[in-house]
Amino acid sequence: MLGDLDHFDKDYHKNEEAQRRRKPWMLTWPQVKLVLLAGVGFFLDAYDLFIINQVAPMLGKVYYPHGGLPPKWQDLIKAGANIGCVIGQIGFGILGDAFGRKFVYGKELILIIIATIVTISVPSYFSGHQVLLWIFICRIFLGIGIGGDYPMSATVVSDRANIHRRGTMLCFIFANQGWGSFTGSLVTIVTLSGFKHRLKNGHPHDVDKAWRVLVGLSLVPAFGTLYQRLVLPESRKFELTKDSNNNTRTSLPEAVTPKKGAGVDEKVTEVDSEASPVVRPVDAAGERHGVIASKKAHWQEFVEYFSTWNHLRVLLGSMLGWFLVDIAFYGINLNQSVVLAQIGYSGKTGDVFDQLFDVATGNIIVTALGFLPGYYVTLFLIDIVGRKKLQFMGFIMSGLFLAILAGEINHLGKGPLVACFTFMQFFFNFGANTTTFIVAAELFPTRIRATAHGISAAAGKCGAILSSLVFNQLKAKIGTSAVLWIFFGTCMLGFLSTFLIDETMGVDPDEKDEAERRAKGEIQ
């Protein structure tokens, strides 16, 4: 049953106190199920987004055997999914707030499944340009589905999470990006090994089968998650905040942190307002906790909320931080061949098998060394240290190692270069790459959370698109070192943008929203 995934049940007080006494990373079984449900989607998202690093060289071997992929086409197929992500993040975010999480959740996976099937169905008799155009268009639609998963999975978890481990749960699902990237490289190695005999014996066109297998395997987690997402009940908290068609009361508890001096059994007075009623849920003992159920249209609600500078400030901070970190993060990770060439995994020597196997091996080394560990150190500290401190630290430290690479990339030995790149990746994920996702899911009240998260995520993907489209051109004109200095600059700007956001650890945005509206006289 999926009903127990919601933290807000009739035993709210007992569960709230029990959760407060547990370590943040010690999840209950319902929390584990919720994390797995949303996390598989992020595993799939990362697999689909980063598998293009493995597929692009294969396409070059099949359709451009003498010169490799044209740089502009290589940039386009890498940018395609991110272009789609922008559309999906904003579109699904708006739909998730306007029509409900249950109505929307799962539809993004259907789109991913269709786009993946169409991608691997490209006729093999097409010319190289026709194949790349087909893949580019399919990856835009794939990206729309992937983008939709960002606001939907973030809000599905945030709506249901206990406030004392909300950051940890969001980090658990986001960490699946690392496993998706790692698995993509691992599966590439296994798949190429299966074709080794054919590739070693003069059948290089079998690579055309290999890349289709790699892309098609993403259907496994997609189908495995689809049914559970489609039947996931609406969160009780969202039902309260979006009951816009009637004035009925719903008896459901809200996750609020007890105020100083208030015991856990203290009753809270119910307040009503005709224009915008506060729905006060009741638990088994009769205690009531408030969540606002707005009667206004969603978009009007959104505009009114962000007409206040303090609210607009944190949205701008969330958008800027995500935009700036993704310029550097995706600029590096969608173009790892530059670093792989420096550490001896350029994929330029040997036959077709040796070259592709070399690239896959280099990618898995890079992912295992810094990519994955950063997520899990964040997971253990996010609800202890806080988000803002980690984001400050992440921007500074990743910028530091980018500066070292920018200044010495042509002079560092293999060992020091691997060490610098590993630490840079570590501090991206033990820092801004993770915190920007988490903060955007915590800064805003339930009634506009999916839309605001989607807009913030879309700003990030705009940074990723910028990097993927101009990286190779800039590298050719000004050199790798100069491009890395640009990435260093974006990290420093990201550090400054962090001053715009508020610390969200232990803060309930619905409680803050209610207090602000009460002070304005919108509710009584």
Side-chain angles (χ1 to χ4, degrees):
M1 297 296 292
L2 296 175
D4 64 347
L5 300 187
D6 209 317
H7 167 64
F8 307 96
D9 57 21
K10 65 180 181 179
D11 297 320
Y12 163 75
H13 280 324
K14 181 175 70 175
N15 290 342
E16 180 76 4
E17 287 304 300
Q19 293 292 316
R20 193 192 303 273
R21 291 192 296 268
R22 293 165 67 97
K23 298 292 185 184
W25 56 85
M26 295 174 62
L27 304 184
T28 63
W29 175 236
Q31 289 169 341
V32 171
K33 288 193 290 185
L34 179 60
V35 163
L36 289 175
L37 177 63
V40 169
F42 272 85
F43 172 92
L44 175 64
D45 296 346
Y47 183 95
D48 280 327
L49 281 173
F50 292 115
I51 197 66
I52 198 65
N53 283 333
Q54 319 289 343
V55 169
M58 297 183 182
L59 294 172
K61 300 298 181 186
V62 176
Y63 298 102
Y64 300 89
H66 303 297
L69 284 184
K72 289 184 179 179
W73 275 110
Q74 184 169 326
D75 290 343
L76 280 174
I77 63 171
K78 288 182 177 180
N82 285 318
I83 292 170
C85 274
V86 173
I87 301 169
Q89 285 161 338
I90 297 175
F92 277 83
I94 293 172
L95 293 173
D97 280 338
F99 297 102
R101 284 46 157 159
K102 176 178 173 55
F103 178 82
V104 177
Y105 206 40
K107 309 301 189 296
E108 75 288 344
L109 272 185
I110 293 174
L111 188 54
I112 290 172
I113 288 168
I114 293 172
T116 301
I117 292 173
V118 175
T119 299
I120 60 179
S121 301
V122 57
S124 58
Y125 56 79
F126 274 13
S127 69
H129 279 34
Q130 288 174 322
V131 168
L132 294 180
L133 179 61
W134 180 294
I135 292 174
F136 171 66
I137 294 172
C138 288
R139 283 186 66 79
I140 290 177
F141 285 97
L142 176 75
I144 293 173
I146 291 173
D149 195 56
Y150 274 70
M152 294 314 303
S153 287
T155 53
V156 160
V157 171
S158 189
D159 288 353
R160 290 171 164 83
N162 176 280
I163 195 171
H164 306 296
R165 63 196 63 240
R166 183 181 59 204
T168 301
M169 291 179 68
L170 288 167
C171 192
F172 261 118
I173 67 169
F174 195 66
N176 281 278
Q177 278 199 338
W179 287 111
S181 180
F182 180 85
T183 303
S185 298
L186 181 62
V187 167
T188 302
I189 290 174
V190 173
T191 302
L192 286 173
S193 297
F195 286 94
K196 181 177 180 179
H197 178 74
R198 296 276 299 174
L199 295 176
K200 287 282 190 180
N201 286 277
H203 299 280
H205 281 279
D206 277 18
V207 173
D208 191 49
K209 300 174 185 177
W211 79 259
R212 294 171 196 264
V213 170
L214 291 177
V215 174
L217 282 173
S218 66
L219 293 171
V220 176
F223 279 115
T225 309
L226 180 59
Y227 174 75
Q228 296 296 325
R229 289 193 175 200
L230 290 174
V231 300
L232 182 70
E234 189 65 85
S235 73
R236 297 185 180 106
K237 196 170 188 181
F238 181 82
E239 286 177 336
L240 293 176
T241 62
K242 304 304 284 186
D243 184 15
S244 59
N245 295 321
N246 57 69
N247 292 321
T248 58
R249 296 184 178 279
T250 309
S251 295
L252 296 168
E254 177 198 8
V256 296
T257 304
K259 297 179 177 62
K260 292 182 180 179
V264 295
D265 295 325
E266 182 177 339
K267 293 186 178 181
V268 183
T269 305
E270 178 177 309
V271 181
D272 191 15
S273 169
E274 181 178 352
S276 184
V278 178
V279 180
R280 295 294 189 177
V282 186
D283 62 19
E287 290 82 355
R288 299 171 182 265
H289 309 276
V291 184
I292 299 169
S294 176
K295 305 236 344 139
K296 301 174 182 177
H298 167 61
W299 196 247
Q300 182 183 355
E301 252 186 341
F302 182 86
V303 172
E304 288 184 359
Y305 182 83
F306 287 109
S307 64
T308 302
W309 166 244
N310 277 339
H311 297 160
L312 182 60
R313 168 181 57 82
V314 295
L315 178 62
L316 290 174
S318 177
M319 292 172 63
L320 279 172
W322 211 333
F323 172 77
L324 292 164
V325 72
D326 273 11
I327 288 177
F329 182 76
Y330 281 92
I332 292 290
N333 286 288
L334 287 177
N335 298 280
Q336 286 184 356
S337 58
V338 175
V339 175
L340 295 179
Q342 296 284 340
I343 63 175
Y345 292 94
S346 62
K348 301 295 185 183
T349 59
D351 55 27
V352 170
F353 172 82
D354 292 332
Q355 292 173 15
L356 295 174
F357 196 86
D358 218 26
V359 172
T361 303
N363 275 297
I364 204 170
I365 290 172
V366 167
T367 303
L369 286 177
F371 214 80
L372 279 169
Y375 287 119
Y376 286 95
V377 176
T378 305
L379 189 150
F380 286 108
L381 294 177
I382 190 75
D383 278 317
I384 297 174
V385 176
R387 290 68 162 147
K388 201 167 179 178
K389 291 178 182 177
L390 289 182
Q391 187 158 313
F392 276 130
M393 180 272 301
F395 272 124
I396 285 292
M397 295 304 295
S398 56
L400 171 65
F401 286 104
L402 274 167
I404 295 173
L405 287 172
E408 300 294 332
I409 190 167
N410 295 318
H411 308 290
L412 287 172
K414 182 177 178 179
L417 182 63
V418 170
C420 281
F421 190 77
T422 298
F423 280 115
M424 180 198 66
Q425 290 278 47
F426 175 83
F427 284 109
F428 268 131
N429 292 323
F430 178 42
N433 185 47
T434 303
T435 56
T436 47
F437 170 80
I438 293 172
V439 166
E442 298 181 318
L443 280 171
F444 312 104
T446 303
R447 59 195 175 104
I448 51 118
R449 179 175 296 143
T451 305
H453 190 281
I455 290 173
S456 297
K461 280 297 177 283
C462 286
I465 293 167
L466 182 63
S467 271
S468 58
L469 288 177
V470 306
F471 181 89
N472 285 319
Q473 285 84 350
L474 278 177
K475 185 184 71 170
K477 290 180 180 179
I478 63 177
T480 302
S481 179
V483 174
L484 293 175
W485 277 119
I486 292 173
F487 292 162
F488 164 78
T490 63
C491 286
M492 295 304 98
L493 290 174
F495 175 86
L496 295 176
S497 73
T498 305
F499 286 102
L500 292 173
I501 64 172
D502 297 330
E503 177 56 64
T504 58
M505 184 174 67
V507 176
D508 187 335
D510 289 304
E511 190 179 37
K512 287 180 63 178
D513 186 40
E514 178 184 338
E516 290 173 2
R517 298 184 70 182
R518 192 183 301 280
K520 293 178 181 178
E522 294 181 12
I523 58 175
Q524 299 177 0

Coordinates of all heavy atoms in Angstrom, one line a residue, residues 242-288:
K242 N -4.9 23.0 -1.6 CA -5.5 23.3 -3.0 C -7.0 23.0 -3.1 O -7.5 22.7 -4.1 CB -4.7 22.6 -4.0 CG -3.2 22.8 -4.1 CD -2.9 24.3 -4.2 CE -3.1 24.8 -5.6 NZ -2.7 26.2 -5.7
D243 N -7.7 23.0 -2.0 CA -9.1 22.7 -2.0 C -9.8 24.0 -2.4 O -10.4 24.7 -1.6 CB -9.6 22.2 -0.6 CG -11.1 21.9 -0.7 OD1 -11.6 21.7 -1.8 OD2 -11.7 21.7 0.4
S244 N -9.8 24.3 -3.7 CA -10.2 25.6 -4.2 C -11.6 25.7 -4.6 O -12.1 26.8 -4.9 CB -9.3 26.1 -5.4 OG -9.4 25.1 -6.4
N245 N -12.3 24.6 -4.6 CA -13.7 24.6 -5.1 C -14.8 24.5 -4.1 O -16.0 24.6 -4.4 CB -13.9 23.4 -6.1 CG -13.0 23.6 -7.3 OD1 -12.8 24.7 -7.8 ND2 -12.4 22.5 -7.8
N246 N -14.4 24.3 -2.8 CA -15.4 24.3 -1.8 C -14.7 24.7 -0.5 O -13.5 24.8 -0.3 CB -16.0 22.8 -1.7 CG -14.9 21.8 -1.4 OD1 -14.3 21.7 -0.3 ND2 -14.7 20.9 -2.4
N247 N -15.6 24.8 0.6 CA -15.1 25.3 1.9 C -15.1 24.1 2.9 O -15.1 24.4 4.1 CB -16.0 26.4 2.4 CG -15.9 27.6 1.6 OD1 -14.8 28.0 1.2 ND2 -17.0 28.3 1.3
T248 N -15.1 22.9 2.4 CA -15.1 21.8 3.4 C -13.8 21.7 4.1 O -12.8 22.1 3.6 CB -15.4 20.5 2.6 OG1 -14.3 20.3 1.7 CG2 -16.7 20.5 1.9
R249 N -13.9 21.1 5.3 CA -12.7 21.0 6.1 C -12.2 19.6 6.0 O -13.0 18.6 6.0 CB -13.0 21.4 7.6 CG -13.4 22.8 7.8 CD -13.6 23.1 9.2 NE -13.9 24.5 9.4 CZ -13.0 25.5 9.3 NH1 -11.8 25.2 9.2 NH2 -13.4 26.7 9.5
T250 N -10.9 19.5 6.1 CA -10.3 18.2 6.0 C -9.5 17.9 7.3 O -8.7 18.8 7.7 CB -9.3 18.1 4.8 OG1 -10.0 18.5 3.6 CG2 -8.8 16.7 4.6
S251 N -9.6 16.8 7.9 CA -8.9 16.5 9.1 C -7.6 15.8 8.9 O -7.6 14.5 8.9 CB -9.8 15.6 10.0 OG -11.0 16.3 10.4
L252 N -6.6 16.5 8.7 CA -5.3 16.0 8.4 C -4.2 16.9 9.1 O -4.4 18.1 9.1 CB -5.0 16.0 6.9 CG -5.9 15.1 6.1 CD1 -5.7 15.4 4.6 CD2 -5.6 13.6 6.3
P253 N -3.2 16.3 9.6 CA -2.2 17.1 10.3 C -1.1 17.6 9.4 O -0.8 17.1 8.4 CB -1.5 16.0 11.3 CG -1.8 14.7 10.6 CD -3.0 14.9 9.8
E254 N -0.6 18.8 9.8 CA 0.5 19.4 9.1 C 1.8 19.3 9.9 O 1.8 19.3 11.1 CB 0.2 20.9 8.9 CG 1.3 21.6 8.2 CD 1.2 23.1 8.4 OE1 0.3 23.5 9.2 OE2 2.0 23.8 7.8
A255 N 2.9 19.2 9.2 CA 4.2 19.1 9.8 C 4.7 20.5 10.2 O 5.2 21.2 9.4 CB 5.2 18.4 8.9
V256 N 4.4 20.9 11.4 CA 4.9 22.1 11.9 C 5.8 21.9 13.1 O 5.6 20.9 13.9 CB 3.8 23.1 12.3 CG1 3.0 23.5 11.1 CG2 2.9 22.5 13.4
T257 N 6.8 22.7 13.3 CA 7.7 22.5 14.5 C 7.0 23.2 15.6 O 6.7 24.4 15.5 CB 9.0 23.1 14.2 OG1 9.6 22.5 13.0 CG2 10.0 22.9 15.4
P258 N 6.8 22.5 16.8 CA 6.1 23.2 17.9 C 6.9 24.4 18.3 O 8.1 24.4 18.4 CB 6.2 22.1 19.0 CG 6.3 20.8 18.2 CD 7.1 21.1 17.0
K259 N 6.2 25.4 18.6 CA 6.8 26.7 19.1 C 7.3 26.5 20.5 O 6.9 25.7 21.2 CB 5.8 27.8 19.0 CG 5.2 28.1 17.6 CD 4.2 29.2 17.6 CE 3.7 29.6 16.2 NZ 3.1 28.5 15.6
K260 N 8.3 27.4 20.8 CA 8.8 27.3 22.1 C 7.7 27.5 23.2 O 6.9 28.4 23.0 CB 9.9 28.4 22.3 CG 11.2 28.1 21.4 CD 12.2 29.2 21.7 CE 13.4 28.9 20.8 NZ 14.5 29.9 21.0
G261 N 7.8 26.7 24.2 CA 6.8 26.8 25.2 C 5.5 26.1 24.9 O 4.6 26.0 25.8
A262 N 5.4 25.5 23.8 CA 4.2 24.7 23.5 C 4.5 23.2 23.5 O 5.4 22.7 22.9 CB 3.7 25.1 22.1
G263 N 3.7 22.5 24.3 CA 3.9 21.1 24.4 C 3.3 20.4 23.2 O 2.5 21.0 22.4
V264 N 3.7 19.1 23.0 CA 3.2 18.4 21.8 C 1.7 18.1 21.9 O 1.1 17.8 20.9 CB 4.0 17.1 21.6 CG1 5.4 17.3 21.3 CG2 3.8 16.2 22.8
D265 N 1.1 18.2 23.1 CA -0.3 17.9 23.2 C -1.1 19.2 23.2 O -2.4 19.2 23.4 CB -0.6 17.1 24.5 CG 0.0 15.7 24.4 OD1 0.0 15.2 23.3 OD2 0.4 15.2 25.4
E266 N -0.5 20.4 23.1 CA -1.2 21.6 23.2 C -2.1 21.8 21.9 O -1.7 21.6 20.8 CB -0.2 22.8 23.2 CG -0.9 24.1 23.4 CD 0.2 25.2 23.5 OE1 1.3 24.9 23.9 OE2 -0.2 26.4 23.3
K267 N -3.3 22.3 22.1 CA -4.2 22.5 21.0 C -4.0 23.8 20.4 O -3.7 24.8 21.0 CB -5.7 22.4 21.5 CG -6.1 20.9 22.0 CD -7.5 20.9 22.3 CE -7.9 19.5 22.8 NZ -9.3 19.3 23.1
V268 N -4.2 23.8 19.1 CA -4.1 25.1 18.3 C -5.5 25.5 17.8 O -6.2 24.7 17.3 CB -3.2 24.9 17.1 CG1 -3.0 26.2 16.4 CG2 -1.8 24.3 17.6
T269 N -5.8 26.7 18.0 CA -7.1 27.2 17.7 C -7.3 27.2 16.2 O -6.5 27.6 15.4 CB -7.4 28.6 18.2 OG1 -7.1 28.6 19.6 CG2 -8.8 29.1 17.9
E270 N -8.5 26.8 15.7 CA -8.8 26.8 14.3 C -9.3 28.2 13.9 O -10.1 28.8 14.6 CB -9.9 25.7 14.0 CG -10.3 25.7 12.6 CD -11.3 24.6 12.4 OE1 -11.0 23.5 12.8 OE2 -12.4 24.8 11.8
V271 N -8.8 28.6 12.8 CA -9.1 29.9 12.3 C -9.8 29.8 10.9 O -9.4 29.0 10.1 CB -7.9 30.8 12.2 CG1 -8.3 32.2 11.7 CG2 -7.2 30.9 13.5
D272 N -10.8 30.6 10.6 CA -11.5 30.5 9.4 C -11.6 31.8 8.7 O -11.6 32.9 9.3 CB -12.9 29.9 9.6 CG -13.6 29.6 8.3 OD1 -12.9 29.5 7.3 OD2 -14.8 29.4 8.3
S273 N -11.6 31.8 7.4 CA -11.7 33.1 6.6 C -12.4 32.7 5.3 O -12.1 31.8 4.6 CB -10.3 33.7 6.3 OG -10.5 34.7 5.3
E274 N -13.4 33.4 5.0 CA -14.2 33.1 3.8 C -13.4 33.3 2.5 O -13.5 32.5 1.6 CB -15.4 34.1 3.7 CG -16.3 33.8 2.5 CD -17.5 34.7 2.5 OE1 -17.7 35.4 3.5 OE2 -18.3 34.7 1.5
A275 N -12.5 34.3 2.5 CA -11.8 34.5 1.3 C -10.7 33.5 1.1 O -10.4 33.1 0.0 CB -11.2 35.9 1.3
S276 N -10.0 33.1 2.2 CA -8.9 32.2 2.1 C -8.8 31.4 3.3 O -8.0 31.8 4.2 CB -7.6 33.0 1.8 OG -6.6 32.1 1.6
P277 N -9.6 30.4 3.5 CA -9.7 29.7 4.8 C -8.4 29.0 5.2 O -7.7 28.4 4.3 CB -10.8 28.7 4.5 CG -10.8 28.4 3.1 CD -10.4 29.7 2.4
V278 N -8.2 28.9 6.5 CA -7.1 28.1 7.0 C -7.7 26.8 7.4 O -8.6 26.8 8.3 CB -6.4 28.8 8.2 CG1 -5.3 27.9 8.8 CG2 -5.8 30.1 7.8
V279 N -7.3 25.7 6.8 CA -7.8 24.4 7.2 C -7.0 23.9 8.3 O -5.8 23.7 8.1 CB -7.8 23.5 5.9 CG1 -8.3 22.1 6.3 CG2 -8.6 24.1 4.8
R280 N -7.6 23.6 9.4 CA -6.9 23.1 10.6 C -7.1 21.6 10.7 O -8.2 21.2 11.2 CB -7.3 23.8 11.8 CG -7.0 25.3 11.8 CD -5.5 25.5 11.8 NE -5.2 26.9 12.0 CZ -4.0 27.3 12.2 NH1 -2.9 26.5 12.1 NH2 -3.7 28.6 12.3
P281 N -6.2 20.7 10.4 CA -6.5 19.3 10.5 C -6.5 18.8 11.9 O -5.9 19.4 12.8 CB -5.3 18.7 9.7 CG -4.3 19.7 9.8 CD -4.9 21.0 9.8
V282 N -7.1 17.7 12.2 CA -7.3 17.1 13.5 C -6.7 15.7 13.5 O -7.0 14.9 12.7 CB -8.8 17.1 13.9 CG1 -8.9 16.7 15.3 CG2 -9.4 18.4 13.6
D283 N -5.9 15.5 14.6 CA -5.4 14.1 14.7 C -6.2 13.4 15.7 O -7.3 13.8 16.1 CB -3.9 14.1 15.1 CG -3.6 14.8 16.4 OD1 -4.6 14.9 17.2 OD2 -2.5 15.1 16.7
A284 N -5.8 12.2 16.1 CA -6.7 11.3 16.9 C -6.9 12.0 18.3 O -8.0 11.7 18.9 CB -6.0 10.0 17.1
A285 N -6.0 12.8 18.8 CA -6.2 13.4 20.1 C -7.0 14.7 20.0 O -7.2 15.4 21.0 CB -4.9 13.6 20.7
G286 N -7.3 15.2 18.8 CA -8.0 16.4 18.6 C -7.2 17.6 18.4 O -7.7 18.7 18.2
E287 N -5.9 17.5 18.3 CA -5.0 18.6 18.0 C -5.2 19.1 16.6 O -5.4 18.3 15.7 CB -3.5 18.3 18.3 CG -3.2 18.1 19.8 CD -3.5 16.7 20.3 OE1 -4.1 15.9 19.5 OE2 -3.2 16.4 21.4
R288 N -5.0 20.4 16.4 CA -5.2 21.0 15.1 C -4.0 21.7 14.6 O -3.4 22.4 15.4 CB -6.5 21.9 15.1 CG -7.7 21.1 15.4 CD -8.9 22.1 15.6 NE -10.1 21.3 16.0 CZ -11.0 20.9 15.2 NH1 -10.9 21.2 13.9 NH2 -12.1 20.3 15.6

